């Protein structure tokens, strides 16, 4: 049984939910999985993992600075084992922007990194208008209006394609050999 570490950087929790779905898929394929906030992971945490996955969401055009900082600090440890990166954003609701090669945030982010993740994914996120403060809600509604998305301030919209998340989970499970089969 191999141990896969899934680290998340989230603001509202949706990236954590995606990580938990990945965990269920990977565990069902015979691996041990630890899901934790990226901020809590240390060099020792990485040393104990056979493979590492980092998931991060976009807010106002950027992943949190902690993501690039973590990657720079631990690049050697990431490269020493199978590794993967995924991004969560609502631009990825558009079919022409929902792959690592076509998602502008993923492409911009990769260009800033020396690390080349072995596997990558992009998932569409979730908008929960009622839970946002007035300024964020107004800004996001404006961005959605400009990009032909939902603008109803009472709406909660989940764009995530969970079958795509599960397919990525199956891919992650193949990064390491499984000795225990379900
Ligand atoms: C204040 C705010 C700003 C956002 N900015 C962007 C953005 O610039 N581009 C984008 O594609 N998605 C943007 N999103 C959508 C988030 O990426 C999406 O809600 C995602 O599911 C958030 O994941 P999290 O809950 O893990 O933080 C924004 C969401 C909020 C609430």
């Amino acid at each position: 049984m191999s141990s896969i570490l899934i680290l998340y950087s989230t603001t509202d929790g949706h990236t954590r939910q995606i990580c938990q779905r990945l965990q269920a898929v990977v565990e069902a394929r015979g691996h041990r999985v630890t899901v934790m906030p990226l901020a809590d992971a240390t060099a020792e945490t990485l040393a104990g993992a056979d493979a590492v996955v980092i998931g991060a969401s976009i807010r106002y055009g950027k992943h949190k600075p902690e993501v690039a900082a973590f990657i720079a600090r631990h690049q050697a440890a990431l490269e020493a084992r199978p590794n993967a990166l995924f991004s969560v954003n609502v631009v990825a609701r558009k079919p022409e922007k929902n792959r690592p090669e076509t998602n502008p945030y993923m492409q911009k982010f990769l260009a800033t990194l020396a690390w080349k993740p072995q596997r990558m994914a992009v998932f569409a996120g979730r908008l929960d208008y009622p839970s946002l403060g007035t300024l964020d809600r107004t800004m996001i509604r404006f961005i959605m209006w400009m990009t032909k998305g939902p603008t109803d301030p009472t709406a909660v919209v989940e764009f995530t394609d969970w079958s795509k998340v599960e397919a990525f989970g199956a891919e992650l499970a193949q990064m390491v050999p499984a000795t225990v089969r379900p």
Side-chain angles (χ1 to χ4, degrees):
M1 195 184 331
S2 298
S3 152
I4 299 189
L5 177 65
I6 306 183
L7 303 174
Y8 60 83
S9 165
T10 182
T11 300
D12 295 323
H14 194 64
T15 304
R16 182 179 62 236
Q17 272 198 301
I18 290 176
C19 289
Q20 285 163 347
R21 183 69 67 95
L22 292 172
Q23 175 177 27
V25 172
V26 175
E27 283 181 347
R29 281 163 173 75
H31 299 294
R32 220 161 356 104
V33 177
T34 303
V35 174
M36 67 160 71
L38 178 104
D40 291 352
T42 62
E44 290 71 37
T45 323
L46 290 174
D50 295 313
V52 184
V53 182
I54 296 176
S57 63
I58 287 284
R59 218 170 165 91
Y60 293 124
K62 291 191 162 67
H63 299 102
K64 283 192 195 179
E66 65 176 8
V67 187
F70 182 90
I71 291 168
R73 196 173 334 122
H74 297 293
Q75 185 172 340
L78 293 171
E79 287 171 347
R81 46 190 50 77
N83 60 72
L85 172 72
F86 71 88
S87 176
V88 180
N89 53 79
V90 292
V91 158
R93 75 188 185 283
K94 302 198 167 214
E96 71 278 13
K97 295 186 178 167
N98 74 358
R99 290 183 294 118
E101 315 84 74
T102 58
N103 185 262
Y105 301 121
M106 188 58 131
Q107 283 301 310
K108 260 218 258 187
F109 190 50
L110 289 172
T112 67
L113 302 178
W115 176 44
K116 303 279 171 249
Q118 289 171 346
R119 293 173 197 254
M120 286 181 270
V122 173
F123 302 119
R126 181 178 193 267
L127 283 183
D128 181 346
Y129 279 120
S131 80
L132 296 179
T134 311
L135 182 62
D136 283 339
R137 185 162 52 240
T138 306
M139 292 290 288
I140 300 300
R141 288 183 72 208
F142 178 65
I143 293 167
M144 283 294 127
W145 176 74
M146 298 232 299
T147 59
K148 301 186 174 33
T151 55
D152 174 356
T154 67
V156 178
V157 191
E158 194 173 87
F159 297 103
T160 314
D161 177 347
W162 290 102
S163 64
K164 195 173 150 185
V165 174
E166 288 175 2
F168 187 58
E171 211 189 298
L172 297 179
Q174 289 179 355
M175 293 198 301
V176 286
T179 50
V180 178
R181 288 280 169 203

